[in-house]
C-alpha cells in the first residue's frame, strides 16, 4: 500500500513539473512566434475560403515575420480591431496591396 502511494505521488509530482514547464513555453510560443486561427466569411475570397464554401479555413499566423518587418506585397496580415460596444474585439484579415517605400 505504501508503495502505491509513493508511485501516485511520483506521478502527480511529474505531472505538475511538466505542467509548469509546458504552460509558459506554450504561452510564449503562441504570443511571440505563431498561432493558429480560423478564417470565416467571404472577405478574403478567393485566397481563403475559395468557391463560397461554408467551411472555414485554418491558417497559421506568423508573429515572428511581422515583428521583424518581413512582410511583402501580397501577404495576408491579421489585425485586432478595437473593442466594440459589447467589449469584444475581432480579428481582421487583409491582403497587402502596397508597402511604404524608402526613398
Amino acid at each position: 500500500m505504501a508503495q502505491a502511494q509513493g508511485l501516485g505521488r511520483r506521478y502527480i509530482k511529474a505531472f505538475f513539473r511538466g505542467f509548469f514547464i509546458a504552460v509558459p513555453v506554450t504561452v510564449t510560443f503562441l504570443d511571440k512566434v505563431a498561432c493558429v486561427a480560423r478564417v470565416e466569411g467571404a472577405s478574403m475570397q478567393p485566397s481563403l475560403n475559395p468557391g463560397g464554401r461554408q467551411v472555414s479555413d485554418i491558417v497559421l499566423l506568423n508573429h515572428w515575420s511581422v515583428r521583424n518587418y518581413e512582410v511583402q506585397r501580397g501577404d495576408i496580415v491579421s489585425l485586432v480591431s478595437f473593442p466594440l460596444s459589447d467589449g469584444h474585439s475581432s480579428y481582421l484579415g487583409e491582403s497587402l496591396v502596397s508597402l511604404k517605400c524608402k526613398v
Side-chain angles (χ1 to χ4, degrees):
M1 186 69 170
Q3 185 180 11
Q5 286 180 342
L7 188 63
R9 283 186 184 175
R10 192 170 75 202
Y11 283 124
I12 291 172
K13 189 183 284 188
F15 170 77
F16 281 113
R17 188 178 306 134
F19 179 79
F20 287 119
I21 291 172
V23 169
V25 169
T26 303
V27 169
T28 302
F29 180 83
L30 293 175
D31 186 46
K32 301 291 183 187
V33 180
C35 68
V36 177
R38 187 175 62 202
V39 178
E40 298 174 335
S43 67
M44 289 303 300
Q45 286 180 347
S47 299
L48 301 172
N49 294 336
R53 296 182 305 167
Q54 296 299 322
V55 182
S56 57
D57 282 347
I58 306 295
V59 295
L60 179 70
L61 301 176
N62 183 352
H63 300 274
W64 195 263
S65 64
V66 172
R67 283 203 168 101
N68 294 328
Y69 303 104
E70 296 172 356
V71 293
Q72 300 172 4
R73 174 179 275 177
D75 286 351
I76 297 173
V77 295
S78 176
L79 310 166
V80 180
S81 70
F82 289 107
L84 303 172
S85 59
D86 61 358
H88 290 89
S89 297
S90 63
Y91 288 94
L92 307 171
E94 296 297 328
S95 180
L96 291 178
V97 176
S98 65
L99 298 172
K100 183 178 178 181
C101 298
K102 294 181 180 180
V103 180

